[in-house]
Amino acid sequence: MCSLSACTTNAIPELSDEEMHQVEEYAAHLLLQYDANYEMTTVTAEEIEEHRQELERRAQVQAQIAINQALKIPEEPETPEGSGENGSGSGSEPAQVAVYTDIDDFLEEPDLEINYAGYEVCATYPQNTDTNDWQGVVRATEGSSLIVFRYTIQNTGASDVILDMAGKGAKFNFRINNSVSKPALRTLRLDEFSMFLETIPAGGSKEAVLIVEVDAATASSIEALKMTLRYGEKRSELTLL
């Protein structure tokens, strides 16, 4: 979508006029692509502009993520068979020890309660889309399936809390059946947990998802699930099933 150059800052990169024009065209295309029943009478110009700006912001964040991934280690490398998470291996670097903790504690959000709420296997997400769903649909490729992991985010404090997951830069990886390792997909869905940016009102709650794509055979026989989180220099591991 746009050309990327190396960068060491955590700020969202500046885009040239040409790159910004490409982002705007891409955002406008998404607004209509996933709305087969689009009518100007049902979506106001102000709503379209808000949606376009949100997609533009997310495109810029995606650009920064791509830069960071190009400069740093992969999100979660495969563990060689038999070596184990804490195995000694032949490398000179010591193995990282997983820290088991609550998601909200790990992400340093004392006023939030973030809990895993289950998963579903499907070919598309969401399966039921509303009219004018400008965010689009995530579709599995042929011969594959999506595993959608659901989370609830509850504000237990007395004040509103802004949860900016894109700013945190946390990474999520899932191990299925103790053998298949998959990073969470990056999408333009606003409910995607790794890119989540919402205000959680005091006493209120929101829902978020993380999505991975696996082959149909793996998705049809899920017996074990483990989630690995990376945030800064910290690493956490949660057994989901």
Side-chain angles (χ1 to χ4, degrees), residues 130-148:
D130 296 330
T131 302
N132 299 317
D133 186 358
W134 58 274
Q135 296 179 60
V137 177
V138 183
R139 292 184 173 87
T141 57
E142 185 176 356
S144 299
S145 297
L146 302 177
I147 305 178
V148 180

PDB file of all heavy atoms in Angstrom, residues 130-148:
ATOM      1  N   ASP A 130     -23.521  -6.443   9.691  1.00  0.00           N
ATOM      2  CA  ASP A 130     -24.573  -5.433   9.594  1.00  0.00           C
ATOM      3  C   ASP A 130     -24.478  -4.720   8.257  1.00  0.00           C
ATOM      4  O   ASP A 130     -23.441  -4.701   7.599  1.00  0.00           O
ATOM      5  CB  ASP A 130     -24.430  -4.397  10.719  1.00  0.00           C
ATOM      6  CG  ASP A 130     -24.621  -5.026  12.081  1.00  0.00           C
ATOM      7  OD1 ASP A 130     -25.375  -6.007  12.162  1.00  0.00           O
ATOM      8  OD2 ASP A 130     -24.001  -4.544  13.048  1.00  0.00           O
ATOM      9  N   THR A 131     -25.597  -4.118   7.853  1.00  0.00           N
ATOM     10  CA  THR A 131     -25.594  -3.286   6.661  1.00  0.00           C
ATOM     11  C   THR A 131     -24.587  -2.155   6.836  1.00  0.00           C
ATOM     12  O   THR A 131     -24.482  -1.569   7.906  1.00  0.00           O
ATOM     13  CB  THR A 131     -26.994  -2.704   6.414  1.00  0.00           C
ATOM     14  OG1 THR A 131     -27.924  -3.780   6.275  1.00  0.00           O
ATOM     15  CG2 THR A 131     -27.015  -1.857   5.142  1.00  0.00           C
ATOM     16  N   ASN A 132     -23.845  -1.872   5.752  1.00  0.00           N
ATOM     17  CA  ASN A 132     -22.816  -0.823   5.785  1.00  0.00           C
ATOM     18  C   ASN A 132     -21.703  -1.115   6.782  1.00  0.00           C
ATOM     19  O   ASN A 132     -21.212  -0.222   7.452  1.00  0.00           O
ATOM     20  CB  ASN A 132     -23.447   0.547   6.107  1.00  0.00           C
ATOM     21  CG  ASN A 132     -24.453   0.970   5.060  1.00  0.00           C
ATOM     22  OD1 ASN A 132     -24.204   0.806   3.869  1.00  0.00           O
ATOM     23  ND2 ASN A 132     -25.585   1.489   5.496  1.00  0.00           N
ATOM     24  N   ASP A 133     -21.339  -2.400   6.897  1.00  0.00           N
ATOM     25  CA  ASP A 133     -20.220  -2.759   7.772  1.00  0.00           C
ATOM     26  C   ASP A 133     -18.919  -2.413   7.056  1.00  0.00           C
ATOM     27  O   ASP A 133     -18.328  -3.221   6.357  1.00  0.00           O
ATOM     28  CB  ASP A 133     -20.266  -4.257   8.093  1.00  0.00           C
ATOM     29  CG  ASP A 133     -19.217  -4.646   9.116  1.00  0.00           C
ATOM     30  OD1 ASP A 133     -18.449  -3.759   9.539  1.00  0.00           O
ATOM     31  OD2 ASP A 133     -19.150  -5.822   9.481  1.00  0.00           O
ATOM     32  N   TRP A 134     -18.481  -1.176   7.240  1.00  0.00           N
ATOM     33  CA  TRP A 134     -17.328  -0.653   6.520  1.00  0.00           C
ATOM     34  C   TRP A 134     -16.013  -1.268   6.952  1.00  0.00           C
ATOM     35  O   TRP A 134     -14.997  -1.127   6.276  1.00  0.00           O
ATOM     36  CB  TRP A 134     -17.259   0.863   6.690  1.00  0.00           C
ATOM     37  CG  TRP A 134     -17.179   1.288   8.119  1.00  0.00           C
ATOM     38  CD1 TRP A 134     -18.224   1.495   8.960  1.00  0.00           C
ATOM     39  CD2 TRP A 134     -16.003   1.537   8.878  1.00  0.00           C
ATOM     40  NE1 TRP A 134     -17.770   1.863  10.197  1.00  0.00           N
ATOM     41  CE2 TRP A 134     -16.408   1.907  10.175  1.00  0.00           C
ATOM     42  CE3 TRP A 134     -14.646   1.505   8.574  1.00  0.00           C
ATOM     43  CZ2 TRP A 134     -15.501   2.221  11.171  1.00  0.00           C
ATOM     44  CZ3 TRP A 134     -13.738   1.816   9.579  1.00  0.00           C
ATOM     45  CH2 TRP A 134     -14.172   2.168  10.861  1.00  0.00           C
ATOM     46  N   GLN A 135     -15.998  -1.965   8.094  1.00  0.00           N
ATOM     47  CA  GLN A 135     -14.742  -2.558   8.561  1.00  0.00           C
ATOM     48  C   GLN A 135     -14.330  -3.769   7.737  1.00  0.00           C
ATOM     49  O   GLN A 135     -13.179  -4.159   7.731  1.00  0.00           O
ATOM     50  CB  GLN A 135     -14.863  -2.964  10.028  1.00  0.00           C
ATOM     51  CG  GLN A 135     -15.078  -1.802  10.965  1.00  0.00           C
ATOM     52  CD  GLN A 135     -15.210  -2.285  12.393  1.00  0.00           C
ATOM     53  OE1 GLN A 135     -14.303  -2.914  12.937  1.00  0.00           O
ATOM     54  NE2 GLN A 135     -16.347  -2.014  12.993  1.00  0.00           N
ATOM     55  N   GLY A 136     -15.283  -4.372   7.059  1.00  0.00           N
ATOM     56  CA  GLY A 136     -14.949  -5.506   6.221  1.00  0.00           C
ATOM     57  C   GLY A 136     -15.021  -6.833   6.943  1.00  0.00           C
ATOM     58  O   GLY A 136     -15.307  -6.913   8.133  1.00  0.00           O
ATOM     59  N   VAL A 137     -14.753  -7.897   6.202  1.00  0.00           N
ATOM     60  CA  VAL A 137     -14.856  -9.259   6.700  1.00  0.00           C
ATOM     61  C   VAL A 137     -13.505  -9.943   6.530  1.00  0.00           C
ATOM     62  O   VAL A 137     -12.866  -9.818   5.484  1.00  0.00           O
ATOM     63  CB  VAL A 137     -15.947 -10.037   5.936  1.00  0.00           C
ATOM     64  CG1 VAL A 137     -16.007 -11.492   6.394  1.00  0.00           C
ATOM     65  CG2 VAL A 137     -17.305  -9.370   6.095  1.00  0.00           C
ATOM     66  N   VAL A 138     -13.074 -10.666   7.549  1.00  0.00           N
ATOM     67  CA  VAL A 138     -11.854 -11.461   7.473  1.00  0.00           C
ATOM     68  C   VAL A 138     -12.240 -12.844   6.965  1.00  0.00           C
ATOM     69  O   VAL A 138     -13.096 -13.509   7.548  1.00  0.00           O
ATOM     70  CB  VAL A 138     -11.176 -11.576   8.845  1.00  0.00           C
ATOM     71  CG1 VAL A 138      -9.863 -12.348   8.724  1.00  0.00           C
ATOM     72  CG2 VAL A 138     -10.920 -10.194   9.437  1.00  0.00           C
ATOM     73  N   ARG A 139     -11.621 -13.286   5.875  1.00  0.00           N
ATOM     74  CA  ARG A 139     -11.958 -14.568   5.259  1.00  0.00           C
ATOM     75  C   ARG A 139     -10.746 -15.483   5.245  1.00  0.00           C
ATOM     76  O   ARG A 139      -9.634 -15.060   4.905  1.00  0.00           O
ATOM     77  CB  ARG A 139     -12.462 -14.353   3.832  1.00  0.00           C
ATOM     78  CG  ARG A 139     -13.805 -13.655   3.740  1.00  0.00           C
ATOM     79  CD  ARG A 139     -14.272 -13.566   2.282  1.00  0.00           C
ATOM     80  NE  ARG A 139     -15.635 -13.052   2.202  1.00  0.00           N
ATOM     81  CZ  ARG A 139     -15.957 -11.785   2.160  1.00  0.00           C
ATOM     82  NH1 ARG A 139     -14.986 -10.875   2.213  1.00  0.00           N
ATOM     83  NH2 ARG A 139     -17.214 -11.395   2.085  1.00  0.00           N
ATOM     84  N   ALA A 140     -10.975 -16.740   5.593  1.00  0.00           N
ATOM     85  CA  ALA A 140      -9.907 -17.732   5.530  1.00  0.00           C
ATOM     86  C   ALA A 140      -9.646 -18.100   4.081  1.00  0.00           C
ATOM     87  O   ALA A 140     -10.555 -18.097   3.250  1.00  0.00           O
ATOM     88  CB  ALA A 140     -10.296 -18.976   6.333  1.00  0.00           C
ATOM     89  N   THR A 141      -8.402 -18.409   3.762  1.00  0.00           N
ATOM     90  CA  THR A 141      -8.081 -18.866   2.421  1.00  0.00           C
ATOM     91  C   THR A 141      -8.597 -20.286   2.226  1.00  0.00           C
ATOM     92  O   THR A 141      -8.939 -20.988   3.180  1.00  0.00           O
ATOM     93  CB  THR A 141      -6.567 -18.828   2.188  1.00  0.00           C
ATOM     94  OG1 THR A 141      -5.917 -19.630   3.191  1.00  0.00           O
ATOM     95  CG2 THR A 141      -6.045 -17.401   2.282  1.00  0.00           C
ATOM     96  N   GLU A 142      -8.645 -20.707   0.966  1.00  0.00           N
ATOM     97  CA  GLU A 142      -9.191 -22.036   0.659  1.00  0.00           C
ATOM     98  C   GLU A 142      -8.387 -23.123   1.361  1.00  0.00           C
ATOM     99  O   GLU A 142      -7.152 -23.111   1.349  1.00  0.00           O
ATOM    100  CB  GLU A 142      -9.168 -22.260  -0.853  1.00  0.00           C
ATOM    101  CG  GLU A 142      -9.818 -23.566  -1.286  1.00  0.00           C
ATOM    102  CD  GLU A 142      -9.865 -23.715  -2.789  1.00  0.00           C
ATOM    103  OE1 GLU A 142      -9.462 -22.755  -3.498  1.00  0.00           O
ATOM    104  OE2 GLU A 142     -10.288 -24.780  -3.265  1.00  0.00           O
ATOM    105  N   GLY A 143      -9.089 -24.043   1.991  1.00  0.00           N
ATOM    106  CA  GLY A 143      -8.437 -25.130   2.713  1.00  0.00           C
ATOM    107  C   GLY A 143      -8.026 -24.780   4.126  1.00  0.00           C
ATOM    108  O   GLY A 143      -7.424 -25.603   4.821  1.00  0.00           O
ATOM    109  N   SER A 144      -8.346 -23.546   4.559  1.00  0.00           N
ATOM    110  CA  SER A 144      -7.984 -23.111   5.909  1.00  0.00           C
ATOM    111  C   SER A 144      -9.220 -22.647   6.668  1.00  0.00           C
ATOM    112  O   SER A 144     -10.296 -22.496   6.085  1.00  0.00           O
ATOM    113  CB  SER A 144      -6.967 -21.964   5.848  1.00  0.00           C
ATOM    114  OG  SER A 144      -5.783 -22.370   5.208  1.00  0.00           O
ATOM    115  N   SER A 145      -9.052 -22.426   7.960  1.00  0.00           N
ATOM    116  CA  SER A 145     -10.126 -21.921   8.814  1.00  0.00           C
ATOM    117  C   SER A 145      -9.569 -20.846   9.745  1.00  0.00           C
ATOM    118  O   SER A 145      -8.357 -20.783   9.983  1.00  0.00           O
ATOM    119  CB  SER A 145     -10.745 -23.051   9.656  1.00  0.00           C
ATOM    120  OG  SER A 145     -11.349 -24.036   8.842  1.00  0.00           O
ATOM    121  N   LEU A 146     -10.464 -20.035  10.243  1.00  0.00           N
ATOM    122  CA  LEU A 146     -10.093 -19.025  11.226  1.00  0.00           C
ATOM    123  C   LEU A 146     -10.425 -19.531  12.627  1.00  0.00           C
ATOM    124  O   LEU A 146     -11.457 -20.168  12.837  1.00  0.00           O
ATOM    125  CB  LEU A 146     -10.852 -17.717  10.983  1.00  0.00           C
ATOM    126  CG  LEU A 146     -10.702 -17.051   9.623  1.00  0.00           C
ATOM    127  CD1 LEU A 146     -11.591 -15.816   9.553  1.00  0.00           C
ATOM    128  CD2 LEU A 146      -9.258 -16.683   9.343  1.00  0.00           C
ATOM    129  N   ILE A 147      -9.541 -19.241  13.569  1.00  0.00           N
ATOM    130  CA  ILE A 147      -9.865 -19.434  14.982  1.00  0.00           C
ATOM    131  C   ILE A 147      -9.963 -18.046  15.584  1.00  0.00           C
ATOM    132  O   ILE A 147      -8.995 -17.281  15.564  1.00  0.00           O
ATOM    133  CB  ILE A 147      -8.803 -20.258  15.726  1.00  0.00           C
ATOM    134  CG1 ILE A 147      -8.564 -21.600  15.043  1.00  0.00           C
ATOM    135  CG2 ILE A 147      -9.229 -20.480  17.178  1.00  0.00           C
ATOM    136  CD1 ILE A 147      -7.475 -22.434  15.709  1.00  0.00           C
ATOM    137  N   VAL A 148     -11.149 -17.707  16.079  1.00  0.00           N
ATOM    138  CA  VAL A 148     -11.403 -16.380  16.630  1.00  0.00           C
ATOM    139  C   VAL A 148     -11.422 -16.485  18.152  1.00  0.00           C
ATOM    140  O   VAL A 148     -12.300 -17.135  18.724  1.00  0.00           O
ATOM    141  CB  VAL A 148     -12.742 -15.811  16.109  1.00  0.00           C
ATOM    142  CG1 VAL A 148     -12.992 -14.429  16.703  1.00  0.00           C
ATOM    143  CG2 VAL A 148     -12.739 -15.757  14.588  1.00  0.00           C
TER     144      VAL A 148
END
